[in-house]
Amino acid sequence: MPSYTQINEKLIEITLNNEEVFAKKGSMIAYQGKLNFARSFLAGGGVQDLAMRTVTSESNAVMVAKGSGKVYYGHNGLFVSIIQLNNEMVYVESEILLAYDARLTVGTMFLGNQGGVQSMVRGAVSGQGLFTTTLQGTGEMAILSDGNAIALPVTAEQPVFVDPNAYIGHKGNLTSAIVTDLNWKTFVGQASGESYQVKFMGQGTVYIQASER
C-alpha cells in the first residue's frame, strides 16, 4: 500500500510499489523511481461522481502518479498534514485536498446542515446547494492549510464553535449548524465573517487552521 511520510511542515513523501496516488495538479515537487504522471478525470471516483463534482463546483484538477518510487508533494508553500482514516468518512473542501490513493473512495455529498462549512455559509446567503467532498475508507490522505492544521476533538459534552473561514475539514459522527453571535456582530461589525459560526456536535474531530481564508 502507498506509504505517506511527513518530510517537514510543507512537504510529504509518498512511496509507491507498483501503485498509484492522486494529487492536486501542480503539487508534485520531485520524484525518484519509475513513475508516470497523467491527468485523472475520475480521480478515484466514478463517472456519476465526476458529473456531480462538475455540476457542484467541487471538481478539482487532479493528477495520478503510477509506478514504483517516491513522490514529493507540496503546494504554494502551504502547510501539509497527513490524516489517517480507519473505516471512516472525512469531509473536506476540494481546494484543500492535496493527495490520497485508491484505498479511499472519493465522492460529493449534499449535506444540508451536516457539513460543507464553506458552502454552508455561502448557501445561507445565496440559497445555493450545499455540497462538500468526501473520502471514505481506511488509509491515509493529505490536506493543505494556512499554517499548521489543528485537530479539535468534539464530544457530546463539549461542542466546538468554528469560524467558517478557519474550517478545513471534519470526520466522525458529527452534526453542524450555523449560529449567529450577536455580541460578536456588535463588537466586530455587522459585515464581519465572525458574525457567523458553525457549531459542531457529536463525537469526532474538526480540523481548523490558524488563519482565515
Side-chain angles (χ1 to χ4, degrees):
M1 66 183 71
S3 174
Y4 293 58
T5 302
Q6 192 91 41
I7 300 300
N8 57 37
E9 293 175 325
K10 300 181 179 182
L11 189 70
I12 62 168
E13 172 193 280
I14 300 180
T15 301
L16 302 176
N17 183 17
N18 195 26
E19 296 161 319
E20 63 183 23
V21 64
F22 303 99
K24 179 186 285 289
K25 183 180 179 181
S27 65
M28 192 275 287
I29 303 299
Y31 74 92
Q32 297 173 306
K34 296 182 179 180
L35 296 168
N36 294 314
F37 298 86
R39 175 73 186 272
S40 175
F41 292 95
L42 295 182
V47 175
Q48 183 176 359
D49 178 64
L50 172 63
M52 185 74 150
R53 284 184 281 121
T54 302
V55 170
T56 62
S57 299
E58 277 295 314
S59 58
N60 202 17
V62 173
M63 301 293 290
V64 59
K66 297 181 180 180
S68 297
K70 298 179 183 294
V71 194
Y72 299 87
Y73 289 112
H75 188 68
N76 288 343
L78 294 171
F79 283 53
V80 182
S81 299
I82 298 171
I83 295 177
Q84 176 69 50
L85 297 182
N86 296 302
N87 194 27
E88 298 172 287
M89 178 180 286
V90 65
Y91 304 82
V92 296
E93 304 293 334
S94 61
E95 64 195 47
I96 63 94
L97 182 58
L98 176 63
Y100 59 97
D101 58 77
R103 290 175 293 172
L104 302 180
T105 302
V106 65
T108 304
M109 187 176 292
F110 178 82
L111 294 174
N113 69 344
Q114 300 302 306
V117 170
Q118 296 292 337
S119 29
M120 279 175 62
V121 176
R122 289 196 300 267
V125 175
S126 67
Q128 296 175 357
L130 312 179
F131 295 89
T132 196
T133 295
T134 63
L135 291 102
Q136 184 173 21
T138 298
E140 295 162 295
M141 58 176 285
I143 60 173
L144 298 166
S145 59
D146 188 357
N148 283 316
I150 302 165
L152 297 179
V154 182
T155 66
E157 298 76 23
Q158 190 66 51
V160 171
F161 296 82
V162 177
D163 183 315
N165 291 311
Y167 166 90
I168 52 178
H170 73 272
K171 66 177 183 177
N173 186 22
L174 297 179
T175 59
S176 55
I178 298 174
V179 296
T180 302
D181 190 320
L182 295 179
N183 291 324
W184 282 19
K185 182 179 291 187
T186 300
F187 286 108
V188 180
Q190 293 190 6
S192 170
E194 280 84 358
S195 301
Y196 295 98
Q197 301 150 51
V198 182
K199 180 181 180 181
F200 287 92
M201 301 156 284
Q203 194 78 32
T205 303
V206 177
Y207 297 93
I208 63 171
Q209 58 186 356
S211 175
E212 295 183 359
R213 287 181 294 179

